[in-house]
Amino acid sequence: MAKWGEGDPRWIVEERADATNVNNWHWTERDVTAWSSDRLRQLLLGVRVEGSEGVCEVTEVSRLDGEASINNRKGKLFFFYEFQLRANWLGTSCSGLKYRGTIDVPNLSDENDEDDLDISVSLCKDQPSTPLLDLMKRSGGKEVRRVLGQYVRDLKSDFSQGMILPTADGQKPSTPVASKKNQVKSSKTQVSSDARRSSSPATCPTGVSIQTCSFSLKETFQTSADELYRTFINQEFVQVFTRSAATVDARRGGKFLLLDGSVSGEFTELVPDQRIEMRWRFRTWPSEHCATIRLELVDRGDETELELEGRGVPAGEEETTREGWRRFYLQAIKQTFGY
C-alpha cells in the first residue's frame, strides 16, 4: 500500500494510517453480501397481505444465493448486486384452511429496475386450488416487488456514508451513481511473478534516462484461446471488464485508452489467438515512457494458459504494475466473464 501523499492515486490503493481511502481516485471495494442477506430476509419476512379470500404471509426465505458489493471509484459509488431467491408463503382462508406456496425471484440485480423483476408465485404441488393464490399473485407479488426495491434504496442510503471521504484538497466528492454489470463469482487466481531490475537505464523519448525493471505473471483461464484473445482486444469486452469507457483500435499500430485515461498505449504485434504485444504506459509515469507488455496464449484444450511479461517498467513500479494487471485485467476478466 502506498502512503498518503505518495504513489499513484488511481492504479493502487492509497490509505491513511487508519486505512481509510484518502483521495477517492482509485477503486476500493466493500463486500456487503452478509448485510444484504440479512436485510432481504428481514424485508421478505415482513410481507403480509389480506383480502376477501383470507390472509397470506411469507414465512421463510428458503433460498438466497448471490452477492453484493459497493465500489468507490474516483469519488463515485457503484453498487453491484445479484441474487436469486425463493420464499415460502402460508395462506389462511376465511374458513381457517391453510395453504402453502412459494415465491421465486431469479433476477434481483443491478441490471434490473424494480419494475423489471420476474416474480413468480405458485402453490406447492400437493396443495389444492385456492383463491388465495390469486390474492398472493395480485397483492403479494406487488408487496414483494416493493420490499425488494426497498432493499436497493437501503443499500444505497446506508452505505453511501463512509465510502466517499473528502479529498486531500478538501473538495467535496461527486454524488453516488448506480452502475450495471453482469456479476460472476470470482475464481481463485493463481499468480506467479518474477520482478527483475534491468542492469541499464532506459531512455524516454524526452531524453530522460530512468532505471527500469521487469515482471511476469502466469494465469489459467477456463475458456478457449480465441475467446480470451478477443476479450483483450475487443472494445466492448474491455469496457465491460474495466467497468468504464474505453477506446481500443485492435490492429497493429492501433491505439488504446482505458480506465478513465489512466492507461494508454498501442498494439505492436497481434497474432490471433496466440500473442498480443503492446507499448503500454500508466498516466503518472515519466512523460511518454512506455513499457513493453507481451501476452502469450497457450491453448490447453478446455482452458488457456496466459503468460504475461512486462519489460521497461519504471524502477520501483513493478509491484504496483503487477498488482494492477493482476487485479484490473486478469482477475476482472475472471470475475466478469466467469473464465
Side-chain angles (χ1 to χ4, degrees):
M1 297 294 182
K3 297 179 180 178
W4 165 240
E6 300 177 2
D8 192 313
R10 170 61 183 87
W11 186 259
I12 59 175
V13 177
E14 294 188 14
E15 295 179 347
R16 288 193 181 97
D18 60 357
T20 56
N21 177 350
V22 296
N23 270 331
N24 300 300
W25 291 343
H26 42 269
W27 190 281
T28 57
E29 181 173 298
R30 181 172 181 179
D31 187 342
V32 292
T33 302
W35 177 91
S36 295
S37 297
D38 290 343
R39 185 58 178 150
L40 284 167
R41 291 181 188 278
Q42 180 185 36
L43 289 168
L44 288 167
L45 290 174
V47 171
R48 186 177 187 276
V49 293
E50 297 183 28
S52 58
E53 304 91 338
V55 178
C56 295
E57 58 186 340
V58 173
T59 57
E60 180 188 15
V61 179
S62 56
R63 178 189 178 192
L64 187 54
D65 299 329
E67 56 190 345
S69 63
I70 306 172
N71 295 280
N72 174 2
R73 183 178 184 186
K74 298 184 73 175
K76 295 182 180 180
L77 290 184
F78 296 80
F79 298 85
F80 301 109
Y81 53 92
E82 183 173 15
F83 289 96
Q84 295 180 337
L85 61 91
R86 167 171 286 188
N88 299 331
W89 60 272
L90 177 67
T92 305
S93 68
C94 294
S95 61
L97 294 177
K98 306 289 186 180
Y99 298 87
R100 294 179 293 108
T102 59
I103 303 170
D104 288 283
V105 183
N107 64 335
L108 175 61
S109 78
D110 53 88
E111 284 200 326
N112 298 312
D113 295 329
E114 182 178 328
D115 293 337
D116 297 327
L117 296 176
D118 295 330
I119 300 175
S120 175
V121 180
S122 61
L123 281 169
C124 293
K125 292 182 178 179
D126 60 347
Q127 299 293 292
S129 179
T130 172
L132 289 171
L133 177 60
D134 293 332
L135 171 65
M136 199 58 186
K137 286 183 175 180
R138 183 179 67 251
S139 302
K142 183 178 181 180
E143 183 64 9
V144 168
R145 191 181 303 276
R146 185 192 69 80
V147 300
L148 294 180
Q150 185 63 51
Y151 154 73
V152 176
R153 291 186 288 273
D154 290 348
L155 173 68
K156 294 179 179 180
S157 63
D158 288 8
F159 286 94
S160 292
Q161 300 300 320
M163 283 293 289
I164 296 183
L165 301 177
T167 56
D169 58 6
Q171 294 181 354
K172 185 178 180 180
S174 304
T175 55
V177 298
S179 177
K180 297 186 176 183
K181 181 185 75 70
N182 286 328
Q183 183 122 5
V184 180
K185 292 185 178 179
S186 60
S187 306
K188 182 177 180 181
T189 304
Q190 298 179 346
V191 181
S192 62
S193 60
D194 177 26
R196 303 176 298 277
R197 294 187 180 278
S198 64
S199 58
S200 60
T203 303
C204 300
T206 54
V208 179
S209 295
I210 65 170
Q211 293 290 332
T212 63
C213 57
S214 302
F215 74 96
S216 63
L217 293 171
K218 186 176 290 186
E219 183 61 85
T220 299
F221 293 84
Q222 303 301 314
T223 189
S224 62
D226 65 315
E227 186 72 22
L228 186 59
Y229 177 84
R230 287 197 301 270
T231 301
F232 278 102
I233 67 169
N234 181 282
Q235 179 169 301
E236 293 183 359
F237 284 10
V238 172
Q239 290 181 143
V240 171
F241 75 75
T242 61
R243 305 169 180 170
S244 62
T247 301
V248 181
D249 183 3
R251 58 188 175 89
R252 185 174 181 178
K255 310 288 186 181
F256 57 85
L257 183 70
L258 52 146
L259 291 170
D260 298 323
S262 293
V263 170
S264 60
E266 69 175 278
F267 296 109
T268 56
E269 184 180 11
L270 293 173
V271 180
D273 311 339
Q274 298 179 35
R275 182 182 308 114
I276 301 171
E277 188 170 300
M278 65 190 86
R279 298 179 69 247
W280 185 98
R281 67 171 272 105
F282 193 69
R283 181 168 51 194
T284 59
W285 287 2
S287 179
E288 299 184 27
H289 178 78
C290 291
T292 297
I293 302 293
R294 184 184 182 95
L295 307 177
E296 292 283 352
L297 281 60
V298 182
D299 195 336
R300 302 293 188 192
D302 58 349
E303 62 183 27
T304 300
E305 184 177 284
L306 181 143
E307 297 178 358
L308 182 155
E309 181 181 5
R311 294 179 285 107
V313 176
E317 296 288 333
E318 68 270 24
E319 289 296 332
T320 55
T321 305
R322 182 197 298 111
E323 175 62 16
W325 266 91
R326 184 192 70 82
R327 182 177 179 188
F328 292 96
Y329 280 88
L330 309 186
Q331 196 174 73
I333 288 172
K334 279 178 171 281
Q335 292 177 340
T336 302
F337 301 111
Y339 294 163

